[in-house]
Amino acid sequence: MASEARYPILADTSSLIAVANTTQWKRLKDAIHLTTTNVCKHELQNHVNSNKYPPEGSREYYLKRGSQRVLEHLDEDSSPWSCVTVVPRPHGPDAGEQSLKQELSEYGSSYQIVSILDSAARRSIRRLIDNNGYDIDVVGPPYLLYILLDNDLIEKPEFCEATVRMIQTEGWTGYEVVKNAWTSIPVDCSEILDDEYDDALPPK
Amino acid sequence: MSGSSYDKTIQFRAGAEKEAAELLDEIHIGGVNVSELARVGLVEMLRQSLDEQDKIAVYERYSRDEIGEDVAHVLLGEKLDRMEEEKESFESAMERDTSEFLTGSDGE
């Protein structure tokens, strides 16, 4: 069972599902310390329970598969991931995001990085961080893969492939979203990846 | 710039539009700043005229430093701010000592 320790990275439900569906999941889950909330854990459980037999390749399939992987990892005895309890417990469709806000309002100084998938939620959390004067960067889940690259745990082609797979699995289309996913990532993946990945590379 | 066929002053033949602006200035309490009105209106119309492909082309030129931030901002507005914000945040996160986030085991 995951502890209630607070590690420097705080991640939301969707961010965890996104990395759990990448080709680097096995390496990532044991290589980094990470914290999430009981509310996000509950959202993961909901994804697992609400989709009994989603067709392979569908969005529901990835939600269920990613959630299962994360839950199994959180439930391991010596999990390097932790799950903190947020009270009062927020409810509703954006409960996970709200729980991150609550956690940051109270324990913001424990964190350095917040990984959150939704860009509007990232903006909203940045405002909270600015108002409280915390030194925290709010980034998308590709950053979690970047940590592996930065520490030579994966090579550039592995990083590129995992990032592209994340973009494809998450169904990120449209210029702004794809461009945002790649913006400032210090790796030019276009030289590594062939035409097969065209839809997930920054549009020319 | 000498030799350029493009006059940097934006000019157009204002007939009824000019009269309408003068009329509004006359009847609106406190008057209206016609120049400001024209500037804001021009920005709005420029943004409306851009389709998705145009936006991509503008952003790519901006990324290659072929056009300035002020020009890109006129055309892309908040979209540009949001992309800059994401870029700054990721770059700032990259400057951290990421080895602090590791467990000491690489999962192998």
Side-chain angles (χ1 to χ4, degrees), chain A residues 13 26 40 42 50 84 95 99 107 109 132 142 145 150 163 167 170 173 182 184-185 190-192 194-195:
Chain A
T13 314
K26 283 202 174 101
C40 291
H42 185 74
S50 63
V84 291
S99 73
Y107 298 100
S109 55
N132 286 280
L145 297 169
D150 198 38
T163 305
I167 288 170
E170 290 302 315
T173 55
W182 288 106
S184 80
I185 292 176
S190 60
E191 63 188 39
I192 291 172
D194 56 24
D195 293 346

Side-chain angles (χ1 to χ4, degrees), chain B residues 84-97:
Chain B
E84 289 299 312
E85 196 179 296
E86 291 297 332
K87 187 167 182 270
E88 280 167 21
S89 212
F90 205 103
E91 279 174 351
S92 164
M94 277 165 53
E95 282 166 18
R96 292 183 187 270
D97 178 4

Side-chain angles (χ1 to χ4, degrees), chain A residues 76-107:
Chain A
E76 271 178 27
D77 285 340
S78 56
S79 178
W81 290 16
S82 68
C83 182
V84 291
T85 304
V86 169
V87 281
R89 185 173 165 161
H91 291 276
D94 63 348
E97 181 196 327
Q98 290 304 323
S99 73
L100 258 57
K101 283 185 173 173
Q102 273 178 244
E103 172 66 8
L104 289 167
S105 298
E106 207 165 344
Y107 298 100

Side-chain angles (χ1 to χ4, degrees), chain A residues 27 30-33 80 112 122-123 126 135 137-138 143 150-151 153 175-176 179-180 183-184, chain B residues 56 59-60 79 82-83 85-87 89-90 92-94 96 98-103 105-106 108:
Chain A
R27 201 178 300 250
D30 292 318
I32 63 175
H33 279 302
Q112 291 186 43
R122 282 201 296 273
R123 286 202 298 281
R126 276 189 202 116
D135 177 24
D137 295 312
V138 186
Y143 182 78
D150 198 38
N151 288 283
L153 296 176
Y175 179 77
E176 195 179 345
K179 187 83 189 175
N180 270 345
T183 296
S184 80
Chain B
I56 291 170
Y59 189 80
E60 290 302 321
K79 202 182 266 277
R82 289 203 293 269
M83 289 171 97
E85 196 179 296
E86 291 297 332
K87 187 167 182 270
S89 212
F90 205 103
S92 164
M94 277 165 53
R96 292 183 187 270
T98 59
S99 67
E100 282 184 35
F101 308 145
L102 299 182
T103 58
S105 155
D106 69 357
E108 289 295 281

Side-chain angles (χ1 to χ4, degrees), chain A residues 164 168 189-201 204:
Chain A
V164 164
Q168 288 174 331
C189 291
S190 60
E191 63 188 39
I192 291 172
L193 302 166
D194 56 24
D195 293 346
E196 185 195 338
Y197 298 101
D198 248 9
D199 58 339
L201 285 170
K204 293 280 187 301

Side-chain angles (χ1 to χ4, degrees), chain B residues 4-17:
Chain B
S4 167
S5 61
Y6 185 75
D7 190 328
K8 283 185 177 167
T9 309
I10 294 177
Q11 291 175 328
F12 60 94
R13 254 177 238 289
E17 291 87 350

